[in-house]
Amino acid sequence: MKRIPLRPENLHQATLLRLLRDGGRSRAELGDDVELSRSKLNLELDRLIEVGLVEQAGLAASRGGRRSGMVRLSPAIRFAGIDIGATSIDVAVTNGELEILGHVSEQCDVRQGPARVLDRAMELLRKLREQRLFTQLNGAGIGVPGPVSFAEGVPVAPPIMPGWDRFPVRDMVSQELGCPSKVDNDVNLMALGELHAGLARQVDDFLLIKFGTGVGCGIVVDGKIYRGVSGSAGDIGHMRVDDQGPVCTCGNTGCLEAYFSGAALAREAVRVAPRSPYLTERLDVVGSLTAEDVAAAATLGDPVALQLIRDGGRQAGQVLAGLVSFFNPGLMIIAGGVARLGHVLLAEIRSVIYRRSLPLATGNLPIVLSELGDTAGVIGGARLISDHVFSVQ
Amino acid sequence: MKRIPLRPENLHQATLLRLLRDGGRSRAELGDDVELSRSKLNLELDRLIEVGLVEQAGLAASRGGRRSGMVRLSPAIRFAGIDIGATSIDVAVTNGELEILGHVSEQCDVRQGPARVLDRAMELLRKLREQRLFTQLNGAGIGVPGPVSFAEGVPVAPPIMPGWDRFPVRDMVSQELGCPSKVDNDVNLMALGELHAGLARQVDDFLLIKFGTGVGCGIVVDGKIYRGVSGSAGDIGHMRVDDQGPVCTCGNTGCLEAYFSGAALAREAVRVAPRSPYLTERLDVVGSLTAEDVAAAATLGDPVALQLIRDGGRQAGQVLAGLVSFFNPGLMIIAGGVARLGHVLLAEIRSVIYRRSLPLATGNLPIVLSELGDTAGVIGGARLISDHVFSVQ
């Protein structure tokens, strides 16, 4: 497969490429979605076909008159999504429609620093290349677990990523892969994944809350990620639940993350273990406890574990209720490892939000668990870079 | 003066009209701001001059070559800004550049219902017409103290506006004045006023916090008001400070508004009056106390009043600190009647935000008092409707 240069020549071509990324369709359907005369539309499409970005795909079902020709993106287009978490790397390769063709992951501590971690990511990509999923990429989108200066493509003062501050992640990856790349915060990538392939497909304004080792929020306004002026928007882990709570890693007391996160749950599990036979045994055997242990105990009906989840969900709900009043989103998605605590957690969060937020803001507000799991970040990475390459640069 | 039909024929004309609204400039300067060839630019400008929307205004200072012709909006253009508050109405008439030509206001209780209150607003406008400030308006922007369905132009379930729920404010005003009109929440209008003529002129993403009888927030994303999916975004008055606080009018406890607002300050002032000679005397004479009394006492150095302001500012700061972490704004403006408590309040709010929000979010964050005072809302109203009429409809 040869790499196709992805350069729309004008705004119309860019719009057409994005529409086709979001699903193949007929020329007539494309005509409904863009404000172009039929002759101008066909001119632009023919040009995209000529350069190899788009191809014909038979005839559409009749809409009453002559059957319209189907068009789709070239099946040779390839994007990579690279999702670097605090303790793991996920790498996937997609086609132009951002469908995952291959997905590999491994445990990896982000504190090993950029050289080592990015090397691992490149190695995972090589595995996918060896599976003949691609020869050359058209672009790569990378997520990292910290604030990012999107314009410069560098992490900025990321608290849990020693050695990464202002490291040129974007430029290094671009150079290594010989294709355009973009870097963003990992939670923003998850939100983009939900926007493309998850529960947020029809929603313009929504929040994605990630409960992992830490807590973060992806903010989507009018179908686009809102990053704030320094790229730290959505960094809700240190929002205050109250003043009396546990001391947080940030030095303040009563932060959301200190009350409810993977780290907080692991700490609390040890504290309450003496009252739970399951957690006691697990602690004896392994020597420590994790959020997964709490989830496992809860699944077995352990009342102590269920209580931990309820308490945490209630504290988290207090903060999320405020965000609902402030932002009035059309959807709130709960995601991340801790979200696997499931419906007990969801019920507690919903209960607090429906009680504490304004009725007008919650009237039509679905609060749901993500259905994408580990793929949200990598799909979001592919979406991020496709937005870039399918634009006039 | 004859009413000019304000209908840009295309996107380019709309862009030129908005640029000229934000300040007269030369043809050469306009050429720098829009992506149009010089001949196409002059064609569109000449067309706008022909229909009477724009006029020539002499020659600009030389930029090295031939001197460019200045252009400006027709001086006959007139917008109205109508700012309906909980207890007052402000009405102003502006020119096309949204400069206030006349501004009148009166006390008026919004609970009198839409027929009575809108009648008062029309009466105030008649006063301005009698001053020969206009004969016919090109548009009116109206603010009301509650949530609004912007698309429908009606208040939606506004808690302090009995009788206004889904009342067709926009259509009534349009019909009455014979011009296009738009309705929005009053705090959103203030934010638009700051964007046009206040401290937010160069800022794309900012928050305006209004402390009046209640508390609200205007959210500006990318230079546009963010309203949320049901028009209630920024309704922060019932965000939780803690669970122990005073009971709020909404039925919950510990809401921001129950801790710090005009109403809360008045209530607290009565409670602490026995410890303050100034407040005691005032209470004896008038029979009740207001936020203004607290401000007056503080200005005289009354330690009890100062303590009230500090305590309130600290509680408010807790909520605002969370918003700064979440939204990562480029500017936060404190406005509204209670903001007149001034620098003691500002210092307390700043202190909490700088301590509790993420350093990355506060690094370059100015937190300032509004300098527009009562004019923010009416300028915002003119801005709102000008955005509408200077667009392709």
Side-chain angles (χ1 to χ4, degrees):
Chain A
M1 272 179 271
K2 210 178 141 293
R3 178 179 168 212
I4 302 161
L6 297 186
R7 283 200 208 89
E9 297 162 326
N10 57 45
L11 214 57
H12 298 309
Q13 290 185 9
T15 304
L16 292 171
L17 289 171
R18 288 184 192 207
L19 283 168
L20 290 172
R21 170 195 67 190
D22 301 339
R25 56 194 81 191
S26 69
R27 286 172 186 255
E29 286 164 341
L30 280 173
D32 296 344
D33 292 330
V34 293
E35 282 181 29
L36 279 180
S37 67
R38 192 191 296 189
S39 62
K40 178 80 175 137
L41 172 71
N42 283 325
L43 189 78
E44 298 294 357
L45 277 177
D46 291 343
R47 177 73 187 134
L48 288 171
I49 291 169
E50 190 183 318
V51 299
L53 275 168
V54 168
E55 60 172 44
Q56 317 264 17
L59 289 177
S62 169
R63 302 206 300 181
R66 230 178 59 192
R67 288 169 66 197
S68 177
M70 290 293 289
V71 280
R72 66 176 176 214
L73 291 179
S74 158
I77 294 173
R78 290 292 178 273
F79 294 119
I82 302 174
D83 185 8
I84 299 171
T87 58
S88 61
I89 306 180
D90 279 80
V91 173
V93 168
T94 77
N95 59 13
E97 288 86 7
L98 314 190
E99 292 163 339
I100 293 181
L101 307 176
H103 180 180
V104 287
S105 65
E106 64 177 34
Q107 296 299 304
C108 177
D109 189 335
V110 76
R111 291 172 297 184
Q112 293 177 17
R116 187 83 183 269
V117 172
L118 291 176
D119 210 45
R120 291 310 306 156
M122 294 303 118
E123 179 58 32
L124 290 175
L125 260 180
R126 263 189 293 277
K127 276 195 199 172
L128 293 171
R129 182 186 276 138
E130 283 161 15
Q131 294 171 28
R132 302 187 179 219
L133 294 177
F134 71 98
T135 49
Q136 176 63 46
L137 292 166
N138 300 100
I142 307 129
V144 297
V148 166
S149 165
F150 186 67
E152 298 165 276
V154 302
V156 180
I160 63 162
M161 301 169 66
W164 289 77
D165 190 22
R166 305 202 71 81
F167 186 88
V169 176
R170 183 191 61 200
D171 296 346
M172 286 282 287
V173 172
S174 281
Q175 201 175 351
E176 191 71 29
L177 299 178
C179 67
S181 78
K182 286 276 176 189
V183 186
D184 205 342
N185 172 267
D186 60 341
V187 187
N188 288 347
L189 244 56
M190 292 175 76
L192 282 175
E194 295 288 346
L195 185 65
H196 188 80
L199 296 162
R201 285 196 72 161
Q202 309 295 328
V203 188
D204 283 339
D205 304 316
F206 72 92
L207 299 179
L208 173 126
I209 315 292
K210 180 194 175 188
F211 291 104
T213 309
V215 182
C217 174
I219 307 170
V220 173
V221 172
D222 204 14
K224 288 189 286 286
I225 291 288
Y226 173 77
R227 298 185 174 87
V229 293
S230 7
S232 78
D235 209 340
I236 62 171
H238 303 282
M239 282 180 74
R240 168 186 168 275
V241 175
D242 62 35
D243 295 328
Q244 280 80 50
V247 174
C248 182
T249 50
C250 75
N252 273 312
T253 50
C255 296
L256 171 56
E257 229 171 80
Y259 266 115
F260 189 65
S261 61
L265 261 185
R267 183 198 66 219
E268 286 300 292
V270 171
R271 192 177 61 77
V272 300
R275 290 192 279 121
S276 154
Y278 179 92
L279 292 175
T280 300
E281 192 191 324
R282 187 88 188 137
L283 183 57
D284 284 349
V285 175
V286 188
S288 66
L289 291 172
T290 65
E292 285 75 45
D293 296 322
V294 178
T299 306
L300 296 170
D302 181 293
V304 173
L306 285 167
Q307 189 62 42
L308 267 195
I309 296 171
R310 286 220 180 82
D311 287 349
R314 193 169 61 250
Q315 308 291 5
Q318 304 278 18
V319 170
L320 302 189
L323 299 186
V324 166
S325 290
F326 174 75
F327 188 73
N328 186 201
L331 172 68
M332 178 177 273
I333 302 176
I334 310 291
V338 175
R340 295 197 191 111
L341 300 174
H343 289 278
V344 175
L345 172 65
L346 186 64
E348 196 66 38
I349 289 176
R350 280 178 170 161
S351 147
V352 178
I353 291 178
Y354 291 138
R355 191 173 68 240
R356 277 242 59 134
S357 308
L358 291 179
L360 191 58
T362 56
N364 296 305
L365 174 66
I367 303 170
V368 298
L369 295 174
S370 168
E371 294 175 354
L372 289 180
D374 286 338
T375 61
V378 288
I379 295 173
R383 166 78 182 217
L384 181 73
I385 193 63
S386 73
D387 276 343
H388 174 68
V389 296
F390 291 156
S391 67
V392 182
Q393 288 151 45
Chain B
M1 272 178 271
K2 208 176 141 295
R3 179 180 168 212
I4 302 161
L6 296 186
R7 282 200 208 90
E9 296 162 326
N10 57 45
L11 214 57
H12 299 308
Q13 290 185 9
T15 304
L16 291 170
L17 289 170
R18 288 184 191 207
L19 283 168
L20 291 172
R21 172 195 66 190
D22 301 340
R25 55 194 81 192
S26 69
R27 285 171 186 255
E29 287 163 340
L30 280 173
D32 296 343
D33 291 330
V34 294
E35 282 181 30
L36 280 179
S37 66
R38 193 192 296 189
S39 62
K40 177 80 175 141
L41 172 71
N42 283 326
L43 189 78
E44 298 294 357
L45 276 176
D46 291 343
R47 177 72 188 135
L48 288 170
I49 291 170
E50 190 183 318
V51 299
L53 276 168
V54 168
E55 61 173 41
Q56 317 263 17
L59 289 177
S62 171
R63 300 205 300 181
R66 232 177 60 191
R67 288 169 66 197
S68 178
M70 290 293 290
V71 281
R72 66 178 175 212
L73 290 179
S74 158
I77 294 173
R78 290 294 179 272
F79 294 119
I82 302 173
D83 184 8
I84 299 170
T87 59
S88 62
I89 305 180
D90 279 80
V91 173
V93 167
T94 77
N95 60 14
E97 288 86 5
L98 316 190
E99 292 163 337
I100 292 179
L101 306 176
H103 180 179
V104 287
S105 64
E106 66 176 34
Q107 295 299 306
C108 177
D109 189 334
V110 76
R111 290 172 298 183
Q112 293 177 20
R116 187 83 183 271
V117 172
L118 290 176
D119 210 45
R120 292 307 309 155
M122 293 304 118
E123 179 58 32
L124 291 175
L125 259 179
R126 265 189 292 278
K127 276 195 200 172
L128 294 172
R129 182 187 276 138
E130 281 161 16
Q131 293 171 29
R132 303 193 179 211
L133 294 177
F134 70 98
T135 48
Q136 175 63 45
L137 293 166
N138 300 100
I142 307 129
V144 296
V148 167
S149 165
F150 186 68
E152 298 164 278
V154 302
V156 181
I160 62 163
M161 301 170 68
W164 289 78
D165 189 23
R166 305 201 71 81
F167 187 88
V169 176
R170 181 191 62 201
D171 296 346
M172 286 282 288
V173 172
S174 280
Q175 200 174 353
E176 192 71 29
L177 299 178
C179 68
S181 78
K182 285 276 173 188
V183 186
D184 205 343
N185 172 266
D186 61 341
V187 187
N188 288 346
L189 245 55
M190 292 174 76
L192 282 175
E194 296 287 346
L195 185 65
H196 187 81
L199 295 162
R201 283 197 74 162
Q202 310 296 329
V203 188
D204 283 339
D205 305 315
F206 72 93
L207 299 179
L208 173 127
I209 315 291
K210 180 194 177 188
F211 291 105
T213 309
V215 181
C217 174
I219 307 170
V220 174
V221 172
D222 203 14
K224 289 189 286 285
I225 291 289
Y226 173 78
R227 298 184 174 87
V229 294
S230 5
S232 78
D235 209 340
I236 62 171
H238 302 282
M239 282 179 75
R240 167 186 168 275
V241 175
D242 61 36
D243 294 328
Q244 281 79 49
V247 173
C248 182
T249 51
C250 74
N252 272 313
T253 50
C255 295
L256 171 55
E257 228 171 80
Y259 265 115
F260 190 66
S261 60
L265 261 184
R267 183 197 67 218
E268 286 300 293
V270 172
R271 192 177 61 77
V272 301
R275 290 191 280 122
S276 154
Y278 180 92
L279 291 176
T280 301
E281 192 192 325
R282 187 88 190 138
L283 183 57
D284 283 349
V285 174
V286 188
S288 66
L289 290 173
T290 64
E292 286 73 46
D293 295 323
V294 177
T299 306
L300 295 170
D302 181 295
V304 172
L306 286 168
Q307 188 63 40
L308 268 194
I309 297 171
R310 287 221 179 82
D311 287 351
R314 193 170 58 250
Q315 308 291 5
Q318 303 279 17
V319 171
L320 302 189
L323 299 186
V324 166
S325 290
F326 174 75
F327 188 72
N328 186 201
L331 172 68
M332 179 177 272
I333 303 177
I334 310 292
V338 175
R340 295 198 190 109
L341 300 173
H343 289 278
V344 175
L345 172 64
L346 186 64
E348 196 66 36
I349 289 176
R350 280 178 171 161
S351 148
V352 178
I353 291 179
Y354 290 138
R355 192 173 66 239
R356 277 242 58 136
S357 308
L358 292 180
L360 190 58
T362 56
N364 295 306
L365 174 67
I367 303 170
V368 299
L369 294 174
S370 168
E371 294 176 354
L372 289 180
D374 286 338
T375 62
V378 288
I379 295 173
R383 166 79 181 215
L384 181 73
I385 193 62
S386 73
D387 275 343
H388 174 68
V389 296
F390 290 157
S391 66
V392 182
Q393 288 150 48

